[in-house]
Amino acid sequence: MDTTQTSTTRISKMKKDDIYPSKYLKAADLNGEDVTYVISESLVEQVGDDRKLVIYFQDEDKSLVCNPTNYDRIAYFLGDETDNWPGKEVVLYGEMVNFKGKLTEAI
């Protein structure tokens, strides 16, 4: 007699982000709001196959993979030396962008 039992919990309302959480911020995390963050550090890290700038924030578990557009926008206000960014505030918001021929929401 097999006495092995498996436990399965059924959750009826679940989104992809609940099943596969990301350590990086994305537009959906902002819930349609403009959110102010304070930068704690910015580091170049391996993200997938590429090395990218990743920005970390105070009091936020997720970080932002900084694309060239976001870098230019932040650098416009804070200067292009990322070592000077910690302690500075940035406002993140979602907007619709064309990515690989598809309209999608991005930070």
Side-chain angles (χ1 to χ4, degrees):
M1 171 183 230
D2 183 7
T3 58
T4 306
Q5 265 188 331
T6 58
S7 175
T8 303
T9 303
R10 174 168 248 176
I11 300 173
S12 61
K13 294 187 181 193
M14 188 173 286
K15 296 181 181 178
K16 181 179 178 181
D17 292 339
D18 297 327
I19 301 167
Y20 306 105
S22 172
K23 65 180 188 174
Y24 302 114
L25 282 169
K26 53 186 169 282
D29 295 321
L30 305 177
N31 297 313
E33 302 287 328
D34 293 0
V35 182
T36 301
Y37 292 100
V38 177
I39 297 173
S40 60
E41 66 179 334
S42 54
L43 306 169
V44 176
E45 298 180 358
Q46 193 73 30
V47 179
D49 294 333
D50 301 312
R51 294 188 52 77
K52 297 187 178 192
L53 180 67
V54 178
I55 301 174
Y56 291 85
F57 304 102
Q58 295 176 11
D59 303 318
E60 173 58 54
D61 293 332
K62 293 186 175 187
S63 56
L64 176 69
V65 177
C66 188
N67 63 35
T69 300
N70 288 340
Y71 176 90
D72 289 342
R73 289 179 176 186
I74 294 169
Y76 178 80
F77 293 101
L78 303 183
D80 63 357
E81 178 52 64
T82 61
D83 288 344
N84 295 330
W85 293 3
K88 305 284 189 348
E89 288 185 347
V90 292
V91 177
L92 301 183
Y93 58 92
E95 65 180 325
M96 299 306 290
V97 299
N98 193 342
F99 180 71
K100 296 185 179 181
K102 182 179 175 185
L103 195 61
T104 186
E105 190 177 22
I107 294 177

